[in-house]
Amino acid sequence: MVRTKSIIAAIVLIAANITVSAQQIDTTSSSGQKSSIVDIFAGVDFNYRDIFLDKPYQFLINLTPGIKWHIWDHMQLNTGFLIPVLNQYGEDFARPRLDVLSLSHQMKFGNLALKPSVGLFTQERYGFDLKAFYTISEWLALELQAGFTGYLSMAHGWDMSPLSKFLAVGGVDFYLQKWNTQFRLVGGRFLKDDNGVYAEGLRHFRHTSVGLYLQYSDFNSATGRQHSNFNGGFKVVIALPPYHRSNKAVRFRPADNFRLTYNMNADPHSCKTYLTDSEQNERHGWFSPNILPWGANKIHDFDQK
Amino acid sequence: MKELSTIALLLLCCLSLSAQQYDGMRGLIHTPTAEMDTVGTARIGAHFISKEMMPKSDYFTWKDASTGEKHPYNTFSYYLSLTPFRWVELSYTCVALAKGPKLADYSSKDRHFSVKFNPLREGKWWPSICIGSADFMGSTLDPTNSQDFFCNFYLAASKHLNIGNGHEIAVHAAYRYYIKEYNKQFQGIVGGITYRPAFAKNIRVMFEWDGCHANFGADALLWRHLLLQASLQNGRYFSAGLCYKVYLL
């Protein structure tokens, strides 16, 4: 009975916070821009795998050009392409194709930040996505990602399925300010209809974040695959220069980050989610710094001139 | 100018540089120490390893098809290591495995992780103490036989002494325990002595006992980022490494 009352009280408090703060929506542009800005960027998507005993590695390297149109007040149209440069993974990865085409909007209601997105996402998904981040304190926050998507692939022409797949992953974030270290524990239903738990620890340095992760997913046991349900590895996220950006209407720049994720069991299925932004990464998170000045977002990698 | 002089001195001494272990962790040639990199230091490197330093396992021999003889082989490793906090060092290492004598025969690899903790920092009167493990988690090349080719656990201590006029020596000692029988020759009390001259503080000369062999070598840090390493195992077998240090803080 006491526990039920506590849960109800918590829900009421959160709802009250949202209601009271609805009038305090932050309308300040993230970059102080007076008009819309278009970023034209390009990066490299580097993949390698070691799954054969008689070959050291196989590589898949894609050029990833993209366009981001910061329309107004945290509304953004994002496109990204995959152009194979070196492909040893097979025919499914051979064609240049659209990777991301999404429209998203960041909003803040008191301590709650929301980011709905619609369009084409990575992992060949299309549909709707909602990200929510609720900051409880400087070191504690809650996060949730929910999506309703279908399959859309341009690997061999056009292949599409109706919207049918739900994804719901939520959890808790801890941030230790003194060491710029973040711990994240999330769980739920992931992209391949698997239920799992994912934990990671990231140390954020000046322009680089390095971390370890562990995960459990029932994908392998549920599908009869002879692989462990446990997996882990490490991540490296590097914010790429230039670190000073102009206020020009059209900007040409490299991709703002390079991510490397080492997957110990070479498991491409378990605990997967899609990206709604082609430059999304664990260091910069889902929201821009002036929407969500929490955790690693306080480490400003990029300054506006 | 200082760096060029360093290179010339090293070439004259016919010493390659190898003050760190081939798995990317800070140490001597084939012996762990209780020294730690500064926090935020990342190393990306590769190391040529003589067969004398390799485990005496069939995975580190290639079989001559005509005679049936097994031959141990020299190999190489590459690694990524990081000191994310002052008290812990982590490393991910790949060691190439060969099935023949040619370069193209190096077709697979052993992957493993290493870790070192530093619960006690060096003080004026006491040494630094570290506890660590190499290859505590690795690849599963053969599911019927646990790999752990390099798996060992150790307790190490290091103490630096200023011997006057800026010259420094350091004494390192460790007890190392190997899981696999074919590595037992490297088990037990190991250690070494290093010397850093006052006139070339970026150079370090070392001598060690790795439980089986007496090894010596040197290293040098050039332009603050490039660490050159090499050694002679048992006074005869050459190993060398090259590493790029990145300071993330």
Side-chain angles (χ1 to χ4, degrees), chain B residues 125-229:
Chain B
W125 304 109
W126 56 85
S128 171
I129 302 289
C130 279
I131 305 167
S133 175
D135 194 5
F136 69 93
M137 187 166 57
S139 56
T140 53
L141 187 66
D142 180 0
T144 64
N145 181 23
S146 170
Q147 301 309 296
D148 304 323
F149 295 128
F150 306 93
C151 183
N152 67 86
F153 301 88
Y154 58 86
L155 175 68
S158 296
K159 186 76 182 82
H160 295 79
L161 303 164
N162 190 331
I163 57 175
N165 296 322
H167 298 276
E168 179 193 89
I169 65 167
V171 180
H172 313 275
Y175 180 81
R176 180 165 57 189
Y177 173 77
Y178 274 93
I179 284 183
K180 295 294 188 181
E181 281 301 315
Y182 50 68
N183 285 323
K184 292 296 184 184
Q185 70 272 25
F186 299 122
Q187 183 167 301
I189 302 289
V190 297
I193 295 176
T194 59
Y195 166 65
R196 190 187 300 277
F199 54 85
K201 286 192 176 296
N202 61 329
I203 291 180
R204 198 172 61 147
V205 180
M206 66 200 70
F207 174 84
E208 72 168 24
W209 171 255
D210 68 0
C212 180
H213 301 127
N215 310 319
F216 64 92
D219 66 12
L221 183 65
L222 304 180
W223 301 289
R224 204 172 161 254
H225 291 279
L226 194 61
L227 181 64
L228 304 179
Q229 332 153 352

Side-chain angles (χ1 to χ4, degrees), chain A residues 138-210:
Chain A
E138 269 202 0
W139 58 271
L140 182 63
L142 303 174
E143 63 171 84
L144 173 69
Q145 179 182 5
F148 184 44
T149 62
Y151 175 70
L152 175 57
S153 171
M154 296 170 223
H156 303 280
W158 185 273
D159 190 8
M160 189 172 177
S161 76
L163 294 172
S164 59
K165 197 178 287 286
F166 283 100
L167 175 147
V169 178
V172 62
D173 285 62
F174 302 94
Y175 197 84
L176 305 179
Q177 194 70 43
K178 185 178 178 183
W179 299 285
N180 280 327
T181 300
Q182 180 175 359
F183 297 98
R184 187 168 166 256
L185 178 65
V186 296
R189 188 171 184 80
F190 289 87
L191 187 59
K192 300 290 176 88
D193 293 330
D194 55 317
N195 301 305
V197 177
Y198 184 97
E200 68 181 5
L202 282 163
R203 173 84 201 257
H204 300 288
F205 297 98
R206 193 156 49 105
H207 292 300
T208 304
S209 298
V210 184

